[in-house]
Amino acid sequence: STVRRFRPIVLTALTAVLAMIPLSRSVFFGPMAVAIMGGLIVATALTLLFLPALYAAWFRVKEEHATATHNER
């Protein structure tokens, strides 16, 4: 699922991070915008890299099973 959904997830997170850049220059909202940007970047990296690896390790997914399941769809 990570392979199929990589581009939409990254584009959505990138759009939100880039939208916070003008807000980060504000004295009042700046720290909040920086925190949101950092959180989105870390959460996206965890979603795309760490969670699929954790799932594969936890359920002992083998490469043949993942490839066979992917080819059936």
Side-chain angles (χ1 to χ4, degrees):
S1 175
T2 300
V3 175
R4 282 187 175 177
R5 300 293 301 164
F6 181 79
R7 191 180 340 170
I9 291 171
V10 169
L11 287 176
T12 302
L14 186 65
T15 302
V17 169
L18 292 177
M20 292 288 163
I21 290 175
L23 197 59
S24 67
R25 294 183 175 171
S26 171
V27 174
F28 186 72
F29 291 113
M32 180 191 66
V34 171
I36 290 173
M37 289 174 10
L40 281 170
I41 291 169
V42 170
T44 303
L46 286 176
T47 301
L48 294 175
L49 301 174
F50 181 71
L51 288 179
L54 182 67
Y55 179 86
W58 182 266
F59 291 107
R60 296 185 181 105
V61 176
K62 294 190 176 25
E63 185 65 31
E64 299 120 19
H65 183 276
T67 306
T69 306
H70 181 66
N71 289 336
E72 290 176 1
R73 294 179 186 185

